[in-house]
Amino acid sequence: MTRVKGNLERELALRQRYRKERLMMLLVGLGTGMAFLILILVLIYAMIQGAGALNLDFFLKDVRPPGEVGGGLRQAIVGTLIVNGLALLIALPFGLAAGILLAEYPDHPVNPYLRLLSDTLNGMPAILFGLLAFILIVKPMGGFSGLSGAFALGFLMIPILAKSTEGVLGLVAKEIREAGLALGLPRWRVILSLVLPTARAGLITGILLAFARAAGEAAPLLFTAFGSPFLELNPLNPMDTLPLRLYVLSISPYEEWHRQAWAAGLVLFGLVTLTSLLARWATRRRF
């Protein structure tokens, strides 16, 4: 009798856990569906408003003066690639070095301060990076430039790269490190020759995600790159970017510029989506 009663209690407890699990799965599904629905609605509205402005001129011509129909955002698209590319080059060595130190030398006395700094930078508003670059780069140079915008976005990328690098290197099997050390290799050589190549796919993913995160930022560039209505290839001069141009067009009183702002949003969404897809493709590769 006692055994039967115990079995019934266990069965009731198991059924209760199953009901709770199904309820939580339903809530998670509803939350995911709502987020996905909002994204789809925003994308559909942006396509309705800005799809008409997407043509060949949009990618091959610069912005027109106020009141004139046509033109494009060639200078913003090229500027986005240049500024974000320079930002990635600036941030990459610092972000990777910080991630390697946190993952491979966990007992280093600098790590607690480095982790605190990384967490603080990761939670800072993006506009503060623009103010920092304004003080460090713009004022000493005596003017706005694409290079100062790259430094602002580089500051934004560093904590993202550090976190992703630390996480990826933590997934590498310790036997790989032990095998290299057993062969008599110094620790730095083991990291460079064995650990980093093994984690290559994850590192590429972190780099692409950092690029995508910075590609949509406009606030830091208001104090640094400043923007330009003309195509500019010299990063020492003011340069335009898609987020910055989108902001300028959206607050203008001209209907044609509003259409181009929605089109710029679509192009920016496509760039971020493409980068995210590349990151997912990289994660599917085996270490």
Side-chain angles (χ1 to χ4, degrees):
M1 188 67 179
T2 304
R3 182 180 300 178
V4 173
K5 184 178 178 180
N7 291 335
L8 288 176
E9 290 178 353
R10 285 193 294 270
E11 185 176 353
L12 289 175
L14 185 61
R15 289 180 180 178
Q16 187 177 8
R17 288 200 298 268
Y18 283 152
R19 283 195 295 267
K20 290 181 179 180
E21 182 180 2
R22 285 194 292 268
L23 177 60
M24 294 306 298
M25 290 297 296
L26 178 61
L27 293 176
V28 171
L30 288 175
T32 304
M34 289 180 62
F36 187 72
L37 179 61
I38 293 174
L39 176 62
I40 292 297
L41 291 176
V42 171
L43 182 59
I44 291 175
Y45 187 78
M47 292 182 66
I48 294 174
Q49 297 293 324
L54 286 176
N55 49 44
L56 195 59
D57 289 344
F58 184 87
F59 298 95
L60 298 181
K61 294 184 178 180
D62 297 339
V63 64
R64 291 285 181 87
E68 293 188 13
V69 180
L73 298 182
R74 177 185 61 169
Q75 85 289 346
I77 297 173
V78 175
T80 297
L81 297 177
I82 293 176
V83 172
N84 283 272
L86 288 175
L88 188 59
L89 291 177
I90 293 170
L92 197 57
F94 298 100
L96 289 180
I100 291 172
L101 183 61
L102 290 171
E104 299 298 322
Y105 300 90
D107 298 327
H108 198 283
V110 177
N111 278 359
Y113 306 100
L114 182 60
R115 195 180 304 278
L116 176 63
L117 179 62
S118 177
D119 293 338
T120 303
L121 290 176
N122 206 29
M124 283 177 56
I127 195 170
L128 294 182
F129 294 107
L131 291 173
L132 179 62
F134 178 83
I135 296 172
L136 297 179
I137 309 298
V138 175
K139 293 191 70 175
M141 290 182 61
F144 301 100
S145 64
L147 182 62
S148 60
F151 269 95
L153 297 182
F155 296 149
L156 181 68
M157 291 182 183
I158 288 176
I160 301 174
L161 291 170
K163 283 290 185 181
S164 61
T165 301
E166 180 188 5
V168 169
L169 295 184
L171 299 176
V172 178
K174 63 179 181 180
E175 288 80 8
I176 295 178
R177 300 176 178 85
E178 293 173 352
L181 294 174
L183 293 174
L185 296 176
R187 195 166 185 177
W188 65 267
R189 185 65 181 272
V190 172
I191 295 173
L192 292 179
S193 301
L194 297 176
V195 178
L196 292 183
T198 303
R200 181 176 59 250
L203 295 175
I204 294 174
T205 301
I207 292 171
L208 293 175
L209 291 177
F211 182 89
R213 169 69 174 82
E217 291 293 342
L221 303 178
L222 293 172
F223 300 94
T224 52
F226 194 68
S228 173
F230 307 106
L231 178 64
E232 181 60 64
L233 301 179
N234 186 358
L236 298 179
N237 296 327
M239 298 187 73
D240 206 7
T241 63
L242 277 172
L244 189 57
R245 182 53 51 180
L246 191 156
Y247 169 76
V248 173
L249 295 177
S250 62
I251 63 174
S252 70
Y254 306 105
E255 187 65 29
E256 177 65 21
W257 280 17
H258 291 169
R259 292 175 59 249
Q260 288 193 342
W262 284 109
L266 288 175
V267 174
L268 188 59
F269 177 82
L271 176 63
V272 173
T273 302
L274 177 62
T275 307
S276 300
L277 290 175
L278 289 175
R280 287 185 175 275
W281 173 80
T283 56
R284 291 178 180 177
R285 298 181 59 186
R286 297 181 61 183
F287 282 3

